[in-house]
Amino acid sequence: IILTLTEAVLLKLGGMSVFDSLIYAMSTAGTGGFSAHSAGVAVYGSSYIYTVITIFMVLFGLNFNVYFLLLMRKPREIFRKSEVRVYFLLFFAATATIALSVYRISGSAEESVIYSAFMTAAFMTSTGFSVTDYTVWPLYPKVILTLLAIVGACAGSTCGSLKISRVIILMKTAFANLRRLSSPRSIKSIKMDGKNITKETVSDVNAFVTIYVLILIVSVVLLSLDSDSITTAGSAAVAALSNVGIGFG
């Protein structure tokens, strides 16, 4: 509630009506992406509004336990969590590289950074807002945004997709299995944030990811029956399965 009202106030200060500011704040909070206008957020053409919504998309993509740690006055513990570190690393790395790629088209450094950050947050947090015609961007941004839509944001947030914590556990499990091949007799526990991950949790994560991938493959195959573009079929499947709502083609 505090985050939602804070965003609404900041959007109102940016020139939105009270109604629109509440609509967009609640839409950001639930990472739903619904808009009060057919043109979406782009109808305002305001870098300030784009920046505010970007920041709050990122904030709502965080695990809500982070805010509990803030209330408990333990800010240092936040960045000790691997999920939070990976989340911000992915966001800033994707924003920077996409901005460099888009700059060749736009020619404006400010516009490239703002649009790249906004679309990265929109795809990564499954909010699904849009402020520019990202379909004309080069292939690299499209690939990165699609992968971010699959990975998603933090567990314990309002976002869809696989969630970063599951991807981290999946990667740790994969590397542990590779090490076991070279040292069959070694016993290595899988840890996250200094705590052992149980076999049940690893099994659940593997099952979740496997089912996700299988449904994704079947969806792409079914959509390809009514589409001549793998881009359209693939991004539509990801958009639906990860609850992102926006895609390519």
Side-chain angles (χ1 to χ4, degrees):
I1 291 172
I2 291 170
L3 283 170
T4 304
L5 292 178
T6 302
E7 183 184 0
V9 170
L10 291 174
L11 291 175
K12 179 67 178 67
L13 294 174
M16 278 192 183
S17 66
V18 174
F19 177 77
D20 281 8
S21 64
L22 288 171
I23 288 292
Y24 283 108
M26 289 190 288
S27 192
T28 307
T31 59
F34 290 103
S35 175
H37 303 277
S38 58
V41 185
V43 72
Y44 292 99
S46 168
S47 297
Y48 170 83
I49 288 175
Y50 299 164
T51 303
V52 169
I53 293 178
T54 299
I55 291 171
F56 278 89
M57 280 194 288
V58 172
L59 291 178
F60 280 111
L62 280 168
N63 190 317
F64 272 62
N65 286 331
V66 166
Y67 301 112
F68 174 74
L69 290 175
L70 284 176
L71 290 172
M72 296 297 291
R73 299 179 181 179
K74 298 179 179 179
R76 292 184 179 180
E77 291 189 21
I78 294 173
F79 285 95
R80 289 177 184 170
K81 294 186 175 296
S82 54
E83 185 181 37
V84 174
R85 294 199 303 270
V86 171
Y87 176 57
F88 281 110
L89 176 63
L90 287 176
F91 173 75
F92 286 115
T95 297
T97 54
I98 290 174
L100 289 173
S101 180
V102 173
Y103 178 72
R104 291 179 294 174
I105 298 175
S106 67
S108 168
E110 180 185 1
E111 186 178 283
S112 299
V113 171
I114 291 174
Y115 287 175
S116 297
F118 189 99
M119 296 312 303
T120 297
F123 272 88
M124 193 173 186
T125 64
S126 75
T127 306
F129 280 138
S130 176
V131 291
T132 184
D133 185 7
Y134 56 88
T135 61
V136 300
W137 284 0
L139 179 61
Y140 174 79
K142 294 178 182 179
V143 172
I144 296 300
L145 291 175
T146 302
L147 291 174
L148 289 176
I150 293 173
V151 172
C154 300
S157 68
T158 59
C159 304
S161 311
L162 287 177
K163 304 290 176 60
I164 290 173
S165 59
R166 289 195 182 99
V167 175
I168 292 174
I169 292 172
L170 188 70
M171 296 299 293
K172 285 179 176 287
T173 304
F175 284 120
N177 288 333
L178 287 174
R179 285 196 299 269
R180 217 170 275 127
L181 289 174
S182 60
S183 304
R185 295 185 179 181
S186 66
I187 299 175
K188 190 79 174 178
S189 60
I190 299 172
K191 293 185 177 183
M192 188 169 176
D193 298 331
K195 297 179 180 178
N196 288 330
I197 301 172
T198 64
K199 290 183 178 180
E200 290 78 12
T201 299
V202 172
S203 178
D204 289 344
V205 168
N206 288 336
F208 184 94
V209 175
T210 301
I211 293 170
Y212 181 101
V213 173
L214 288 174
I215 294 175
L216 181 61
I217 293 171
V218 172
S219 300
V220 173
V221 171
L222 292 175
L223 288 169
S224 67
L225 296 173
D226 194 43
S227 174
D228 295 326
S229 169
I230 185 64
T231 301
T232 300
S235 65
V238 171
L241 190 54
S242 292
N243 296 326
V244 180
I246 51 177
F248 303 97

